[in-house]
Amino acid sequence: MTTAIAFFLLGLPAALFADYLVRRFTRAEEEIDDEDDIDEADRVELPWQRGSGPDRLRLVVVATVPVLMALAGRRFDTPQALGVSALLVALVVCTATDLLRFRVPNAITYPGTLLALGLAIVMPDADPVGALAAALLGGGMFLVLAILSRGGLGLGDVKLAVLIGAALGLPAGYQALFLGVILAGAVLLLFYVTGLVGRKQAVPYAPFLAIGAAVVVLLHGAAFAPL
């Protein structure tokens, strides 16, 4: 319990840092040149992207950081909990940026993937082979899905799948991505049926992958932090 409280307190400045990153990657004037590659015609504003919605949504999403880090502190030994916390913060940032601006920043997924693979090599009882295999399989699977969906999934989602695979390994990475796909299908179907979004309208996909990854890592551990 003491470790969980310590990680919750550590999560307060981490949440402020996450908020800074979200603001940084969702500035309207910032050029989007390497993210999801969604056609501008499909970038129709969603209800939560209007008015005061973005600020409220950003605060709600980043406010989950201390809670997630407390759970990490409760579930893992301190060194592993720090690595898992870094992953959870990355997932929170990607969730917020995609919800607000259809962005999954390379500045998060690239170093996050390298860090996850590095931890899988140096941490005790880790699984570097599983981490690399899950990264390749997850990225390959989502690249195929991105091609087949013709814009329904972006390259940012593919890179996030690589990060999740590298962090969770096998079979947890596959389980997390599968859970994310199921969640996305159910929620997006509800959105379409209720008319909240149109059939050809772009919708954020990263939040579902992030939720799947967060649930699985806290329940079953990561490639660098087995439970």
Side-chain angles (χ1 to χ4, degrees), residues 1-11 64-89 214 217-219 221 224-227:
M1 181 62 70
T2 302
T3 304
I5 294 173
F7 269 80
F8 180 87
L9 295 176
L10 183 61
T64 64
V65 168
V67 176
L68 292 171
M69 288 184 59
L71 292 173
R74 185 178 179 86
R75 292 285 289 162
F76 300 91
D77 293 336
T78 298
Q80 288 84 358
L82 290 172
V84 171
S85 294
L87 170 64
L88 293 172
V89 171
V217 76
L218 290 172
L219 289 178
F224 58 84
L227 286 174

Side-chain angles (χ1 to χ4, degrees), residues 109-225:
T109 54
Y110 286 169
T113 299
L114 293 176
L115 177 61
L117 292 174
L119 289 175
I121 293 173
V122 302
M123 295 293 278
D125 302 319
D127 181 15
V129 175
L132 181 59
L136 294 174
L137 290 173
M141 179 178 69
F142 270 77
L143 180 59
V144 171
L145 290 176
I147 295 172
L148 294 178
S149 67
R150 296 183 179 181
L153 289 176
L155 292 180
D157 300 315
V158 176
K159 297 165 190 174
L160 181 58
V162 173
L163 168 57
I164 291 171
L168 272 63
L170 292 174
Y174 172 80
Q175 293 168 349
L177 294 175
F178 181 75
L179 177 59
V181 170
I182 295 300
L183 287 173
V187 174
L188 295 181
L189 178 61
L190 178 63
F191 282 1
Y192 292 141
V193 170
T194 58
L196 186 62
V197 298
R199 186 171 62 87
K200 294 184 178 180
Q201 183 173 328
V203 292
Y205 205 90
F208 305 107
L209 300 182
I211 291 171
V215 169
V216 172
V217 76
L218 290 172
L219 289 178
H220 302 294
F224 58 84

Side-chain angles (χ1 to χ4, degrees), residues 17-35 43 58 89-90 92-111:
F17 181 61
D19 184 64
Y20 163 77
L21 291 177
V22 173
R23 288 174 179 269
R24 167 70 175 80
F25 294 127
T26 57
R27 289 188 307 197
E29 66 272 17
E30 183 167 333
E31 182 180 354
I32 299 175
D33 59 359
D34 57 357
E35 308 299 343
R43 290 182 183 272
R58 189 190 73 253
V89 171
V92 167
V93 171
C94 290
T95 294
T97 57
D98 202 24
L99 284 171
L100 296 175
R101 290 276 289 166
F102 302 106
R103 297 197 68 185
V104 182
N106 290 340
I108 298 295
T109 54
Y110 286 169

